[in-house]
Amino acid sequence: WGFSGTLRRLPGEYDNNFQLTRSDGSQQVLKVMHPEREESFVDLQAAALAHIARTAPDLGMPRVVSNSAGTNWARIVMARRPRLVWMLGWVPGRPLAEVAVRPPELLGSVGRLLGRVSVALSGFEHPGLDRELRWDLVRAGWIRDRLEAIEDPARRGLVERALARFDAEAAPVLAALAKVAIHGDANDWNVLVRGGRGRVPEAVSLIDFGDMVRSARICDLAIGAAYALFGSEDPLAALAQVATGYAQAAVLAETEVEILAPLVAMRLAVSVTNSAIRRSLAPFDPYVAVSEAPAWATLEALDRIPPRWVRATLREACGFSPIAVSGIESLKKETPAPILGPPLLNRLRRIRPLDLSVGSLLLGADPRNLEPAGLCALIERELGTGETADLGLGLYGEARLLGPIPPEPGIEPATIQLGAELFLPAGSEIRSPFLGRVVEILETGVRLLIEHAAEVALSALTPGPSPKGRGEKGQETSSFVSPLPLGEGPGVRAVWLGLAADSLPTVGTTIDRGAPIGRVATAEVNGGWPPHVRLQILLDDLGFGARFPTAVRPSERAVWQALSPDPTALLGVSPDRLPAPLPTFDEILAARRSRLGRNLSLSYRRPLEIVRGFRQYLFDADGRAYLDVYNNVAHVGHQHPRVVEAIRSQVGLLNTNTRYLHPNLVRYAERLTAKMPAPLSVVYVVN
């Protein structure tokens, strides 16, 4: 190449790679190929990099450095064997593998980089792409005959489950997908990252194109995501971040998203199986174990997550409905029967929506109001007692702090409610709005799970009149037609909470439309909560059955609410009785920018919507707790009872500025200056 420099060895499995530093400080990468490498292998990589340089010149990919003869590679002799050598420009950055903490922004940038490379490789052709490669995920089934290399039976079973899901879900889809040029090995040593020291790190380049192959493009995302998850405490959330980033840069088909999770698990399974095979052949090779431990940990973590929940999460992350909805866009709605009989039914006309949210003025500043006994007394005062009492409505989707304050540090609390409640007298009879069948009863809770139309689910996919049938007692009933799009679960299910155990029907009982299903339990049975009944609708219960979560984390709200939509209409509550929806984050931000002077600044890249304070904590609208080390007003903490009472009593008498005389202002200045050194004798009131 016509220059000299100092070489520093870089990691590599098969070839020899060196960082070359020249006397002028510039750097390149010198690649010395294994003696068995052919020219076509180098030509494939050089041609691919040249193609990317033309189609996406702003991508920070390595560029081939031509030698003094004007060619992309040369031949040399080392240890009496011919070797191909070629050179690439140096791309500054550090491998993702060396980044211990991988924030969501970094994971999203990994996905975007993979998507941009996929788009840049569109149309690339080369004879070297058509080869058999054991790392090609389309051919990953080869590990089936090598699983004996994994000595631990539990770990072998883990790989067998990943292989079974691959065979059942991914392999048939892969066979039908178009095959294109892919990078093929976006592991965490091949993804370069820049940033840190106050800047969020960002994936900027992809190196080592030696595993390029013609395969399904979704494999590139699956491979890159598998390694990006290493070290994550929440691998599914991390996987969703990578997938979201990819979908922002490249269009993903729904069928590709459906098989992403099985492909990620399969790449990890191939990696650990290959490591086990190589360890048996070269037990002291350090390269064998470089990714083995984190690969096992990630594979084990993903194996513990219900597959249907994984698929729903990834569908939402990539812009699709979390559950695959039937092609029928509109389903005929059967009018639900009232769940209350007279005279309680008449009280629905004066139902009172109850604000139990994080920022509720009804709950006020006293944290005891968040505990069952305090909440019971508060709601009773709000609704009244006896036959003239109003009914209360607990709102679906509300974020509530009905637990310890603060929540466990670092843990996102499950605050988003997936059901709606009616607060009504104990002993009130509850009726089923639709024909159904009791499939599960839990004593703890008490929870009743009713399946609607499991046996006639197909009828719900056909618009038109409901088919008529006969109930157990001979009266005419209507088969249930879902008022909601059916998901992949076994029909639409309803979970009722708060009913007395001795009033429930037995499992297997058919419940006619409008027939009783139980009576509201007392506060003692409800764990101290005021008497109420809670309803959740499940389009896919994910196998939880009656144990389906009642509250979920805010970051997962969209997926859970798609699986368990708003049941308020089935409670018989008229829409005009519902409160106006709260403004969204974006609406609040836009209104503030439009209506408030810019001298009122906001903090953080994404401002916080703070609605409650308690002691040294601030809480956002979703119930996340923040340690308040920045607020310059509440020096004595939030909701301090003495401060709250002092403000309340003074505002009840007088609240004005300092243009008038008042003894308290002077008294405060005298008390404050008495604590200061002699020169500090004058107070400026600024707050």
Side-chain angles (χ1 to χ4, degrees), residues 682-687:
V682 176
V683 172
Y684 284 83
V685 180
V686 297
N687 220 343

Short mmCIF file of all heavy atoms in Angstrom, two decimals, residues 682-687:
data_model
loop_
_atom_site.label_atom_id
_atom_site.label_comp_id
_atom_site.label_asym_id
_atom_site.label_seq_id
_atom_site.Cartn_x
_atom_site.Cartn_y
_atom_site.Cartn_z
N VAL A 682 -30.65 41.93 55.93
CA VAL A 682 -31.80 42.31 55.11
C VAL A 682 -32.26 41.09 54.30
O VAL A 682 -31.44 40.37 53.73
CB VAL A 682 -31.44 43.47 54.15
CG1 VAL A 682 -32.61 43.79 53.23
CG2 VAL A 682 -31.03 44.71 54.96
N VAL A 683 -33.58 40.88 54.25
CA VAL A 683 -34.17 39.74 53.53
C VAL A 683 -34.80 40.22 52.22
O VAL A 683 -35.53 41.23 52.23
CB VAL A 683 -35.23 39.04 54.42
CG1 VAL A 683 -35.99 38.00 53.61
CG2 VAL A 683 -34.58 38.42 55.63
N TYR A 684 -34.52 39.52 51.14
CA TYR A 684 -35.24 39.75 49.88
C TYR A 684 -36.18 38.55 49.68
O TYR A 684 -35.72 37.40 49.59
CB TYR A 684 -34.28 39.88 48.71
CG TYR A 684 -33.58 41.21 48.66
CD1 TYR A 684 -32.44 41.46 49.42
CD2 TYR A 684 -34.10 42.24 47.86
CE1 TYR A 684 -31.81 42.69 49.39
CE2 TYR A 684 -33.48 43.48 47.84
CZ TYR A 684 -32.33 43.70 48.60
OH TYR A 684 -31.73 44.92 48.56
N VAL A 685 -37.47 38.79 49.61
CA VAL A 685 -38.44 37.72 49.43
C VAL A 685 -38.61 37.49 47.93
O VAL A 685 -39.10 38.38 47.22
CB VAL A 685 -39.78 38.07 50.09
CG1 VAL A 685 -40.78 36.95 49.88
CG2 VAL A 685 -39.57 38.33 51.58
N VAL A 686 -38.18 36.36 47.44
CA VAL A 686 -38.19 36.11 45.99
C VAL A 686 -39.09 34.94 45.60
O VAL A 686 -39.32 34.69 44.44
CB VAL A 686 -36.77 35.84 45.46
CG1 VAL A 686 -35.91 37.07 45.66
CG2 VAL A 686 -36.13 34.65 46.16
N ASN A 687 -39.57 34.20 46.57
CA ASN A 687 -40.31 33.00 46.22
C ASN A 687 -41.69 33.02 46.89
O ASN A 687 -41.76 33.07 48.10
CB ASN A 687 -39.53 31.76 46.67
CG ASN A 687 -39.61 30.66 45.63
OD1 ASN A 687 -40.46 30.71 44.76
ND2 ASN A 687 -38.72 29.69 45.71
#
